[in-house]
């Protein structure tokens, strides 16, 4: 009876996971298959999952119809730069708040938590004014600098660093290590999974960022993939009249993220497990 319960439980679990996976993957499959269809096949009733004759030239036509190469470069470059800057300043701030003693540590942490609870849109006006005064509107520097600080990253890394016993850092200080050496040679390697998760979350959010970049950039050459895809929908896609090309363009935009997940899959799993242990 016990063996039967275990078998039934595992079967139910695997069936549920399979069903959820299909539901999650179906939009991507539909998008890719639609990029190979004609307009008539997209609107066919009943729906057609795979076209009778795949039109691979739709990808070439979409690529030639809009500068997707530029959009991809802009998004990858900006997102990667933001990730690098956030990792550095979030690591230093988190280390200071977790393993350094100073008078304003608790008030500063409280201010960080309060800032995290503010809606992002509440900072748009002040951020826009600051960038305007610094003459950073319509620039790569403006896109990067305006997202250089991550409240979530500071909080997440602080929680990870708190899991490292203070005795370890004290022993390193006795051996002559300074704060800089402790941070880069001990704290960061020991918290690598959390850093990887933070990097991935930051990269994805910045890669897909739409509203803020649209507010501070008007130059089409600075469009990220989200703004570029919308522009293509309006112009090259003729307001949705050329759905196969729109779906092909959408496939271009998610390809870097799929590659990123495929390459970093094992680190993602380790990082998620580490984050769960931190939250506990």
């Amino acid at each position: 009876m016990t063996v039967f319960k275990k078998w039934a439980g595992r079967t139910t679990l695997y069936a549920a996971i399979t069903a959820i996976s299909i539901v999650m993957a179906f939009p991507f499959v539909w998008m890719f298959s639609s990029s190979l269809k004609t307009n008539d096949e997209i609107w066919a009733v009943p729906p057609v999952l795979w076209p009778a004759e795949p039109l691979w030239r739709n990808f070439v036509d979409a690529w030639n119809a809009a500068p997707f190469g530029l959009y991809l470069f802009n998004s990858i470059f900006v997102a990667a730069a933001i990730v690098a800057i956030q990792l550095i300043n979030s690591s230093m701030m988190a280390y200071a708040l977790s393993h350094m003693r100073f008078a304003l540590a608790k008030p500063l942490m409280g201010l960080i938590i309060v800032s995290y609870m503010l809606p992002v849109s509440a900072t748009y006006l002040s951020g826009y004014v600051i960038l305007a005064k610094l003459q950073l509107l319509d620039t790569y520097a403006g896109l990067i600098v305006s997202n250089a600080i991550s409240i979530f990253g500071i909080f997440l890394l602080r929680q990870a660093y708190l899991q490292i016993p203070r005795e370890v850092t004290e022993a390193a200080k006795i051996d002559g290590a300074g704060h800089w050496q402790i941070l880069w040679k001990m704290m960061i390697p020991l918290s690598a999974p959390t850093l990887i998760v933070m990097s991935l979350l930051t990269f994805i959010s910045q890669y897909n960022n739409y509203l803020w970049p649209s507010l501070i950039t008007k130059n089409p050459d600075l469009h990220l993939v989200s703004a570029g895809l919308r522009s293509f929908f309006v112009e090259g896609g003729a307001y949705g009249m050329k759905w196969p090309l729109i779906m092909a363009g959408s496939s271009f935009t998610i390809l870097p993220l799929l590659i990123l997940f495929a390459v970093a899959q094992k680190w993602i799993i380790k990082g998620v497990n580490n984050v769960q242990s931190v939250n506990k």
Side-chain angles (χ1 to χ4, degrees), residues 11 13 19 31-32 37 65 77 107 118 138 141 152 159 175 188 197 199 207 228 230 244 254 261-262:
T11 302
L13 176 62
M31 178 184 65
F32 178 73
K37 299 176 183 177
F77 170 71
L118 287 174
D138 249 355
F152 169 75
Q159 296 303 109
D175 291 338
I188 289 180
V197 169
S199 300
Y207 181 88
R230 179 192 177 279
I254 69 166
F261 274 107

Side-chain angles (χ1 to χ4, degrees), residues 5-48:
K5 287 183 178 180
K6 289 183 178 180
W7 177 84
R10 289 183 179 179
T11 302
T12 303
L13 176 62
Y14 293 152
I17 293 175
T18 302
I20 294 172
S21 300
I22 293 173
V23 171
M24 295 293 291
F26 181 77
F28 300 100
V29 175
W30 182 261
M31 178 184 65
F32 178 73
S33 66
S34 295
S35 65
L36 302 175
K37 299 176 183 177
T38 63
N39 260 330
D40 293 337
E41 287 177 320
I42 289 178
W43 295 105
V45 179
V48 178

Side-chain angles (χ1 to χ4, degrees), residues 150-170:
S150 172
I151 300 299
F152 169 75
I154 294 172
F155 178 78
L156 179 64
L157 293 184
R158 175 183 177 272
Q159 296 303 109
Y161 291 168
L162 286 175
Q163 303 303 307
I164 301 174
R166 190 178 292 272
E167 290 77 9
V168 175
T169 58
E170 295 296 336

Side-chain angles (χ1 to χ4, degrees), residues 87-109 112 153-155 157-162 166 169 173 179-180 182-184 187-188:
L87 283 178
I88 294 172
N89 58 44
S90 295
S91 295
M92 293 190 294
M93 192 69 181
Y95 173 76
L97 291 171
S98 60
H99 286 273
M100 293 179 66
R101 296 184 177 90
F102 57 98
L104 297 177
K106 290 185 178 179
L108 183 58
M109 189 61 206
I112 289 174
I154 294 172
F155 178 78
L157 293 184
R158 175 183 177 272
Q159 296 303 109
Y161 291 168
L162 286 175
R166 190 178 292 272
T169 58
K173 292 177 183 177
H179 290 300
W180 190 258
I182 294 173
L183 173 61
W184 295 104
M187 308 297 286
I188 289 180

Side-chain angles (χ1 to χ4, degrees), residues 4 22 44 61-62 75 84 95 142 154 156 171 185 197 218 227 255 257:
F4 175 77
I22 293 173
D61 293 341
S75 289
Y95 173 76
I154 294 172
L156 179 64
K185 294 185 178 180
V197 169
K218 301 301 180 185
L255 184 60
L257 297 181

Side-chain angles (χ1 to χ4, degrees), residues 26-233:
F26 181 77
F28 300 100
V29 175
W30 182 261
M31 178 184 65
F32 178 73
S33 66
S34 295
S35 65
L36 302 175
K37 299 176 183 177
T38 63
N39 260 330
D40 293 337
E41 287 177 320
I42 289 178
W43 295 105
V45 179
V48 178
L49 180 61
W50 191 255
E53 295 183 5
L55 301 178
W56 297 98
R57 70 173 182 274
N58 286 341
F59 288 99
V60 178
D61 293 341
W63 186 267
N64 293 331
F68 280 104
L70 178 62
Y71 299 153
L72 291 172
F73 169 79
N74 289 343
S75 289
I76 293 173
F77 170 71
V78 170
I82 291 172
V83 167
I85 295 174
Q86 285 190 8
L87 283 178
I88 294 172
N89 58 44
S90 295
S91 295
M92 293 190 294
M93 192 69 181
Y95 173 76
L97 291 171
S98 60
H99 286 273
M100 293 179 66
R101 296 184 177 90
F102 57 98
L104 297 177
K106 290 185 178 179
L108 183 58
M109 189 61 206
L111 180 62
I112 289 174
I113 293 176
V114 171
S115 300
Y116 186 58
M117 291 188 291
L118 287 174
V120 177
S121 57
T123 64
Y124 282 171
L125 179 58
S126 58
Y128 187 92
V129 172
I130 292 172
L131 289 180
K133 290 183 178 295
L134 294 174
Q135 297 183 349
L136 293 178
L137 295 176
D138 249 355
T139 63
Y140 284 115
L143 288 168
I144 295 170
V145 171
S146 60
N147 293 285
I149 304 298
S150 172
I151 300 299
F152 169 75
I154 294 172
F155 178 78
L156 179 64
L157 293 184
R158 175 183 177 272
Q159 296 303 109
Y161 291 168
L162 286 175
Q163 303 303 307
I164 301 174
R166 190 178 292 272
E167 290 77 9
V168 175
T169 58
E170 295 296 336
K173 292 177 183 177
I174 294 174
D175 291 338
H179 290 300
W180 190 258
Q181 291 176 309
I182 294 173
L183 173 61
W184 295 104
K185 294 185 178 180
M186 295 180 59
M187 308 297 286
I188 289 180
L190 291 173
S191 305
T194 304
L195 289 166
I196 291 172
V197 169
M198 175 189 163
S199 300
L200 290 171
L201 293 176
T202 302
F203 184 90
I204 293 169
S205 64
Q206 296 302 327
Y207 181 88
N208 292 322
N209 201 358
Y210 172 75
L211 183 55
W212 177 245
S214 298
L215 291 175
I216 64 174
T217 58
K218 301 301 180 185
N219 187 351
D221 292 338
L222 294 176
H223 279 173
L224 304 186
V225 289
S226 298
L229 191 60
R230 179 192 177 279
S231 177
F232 178 66
F233 175 83

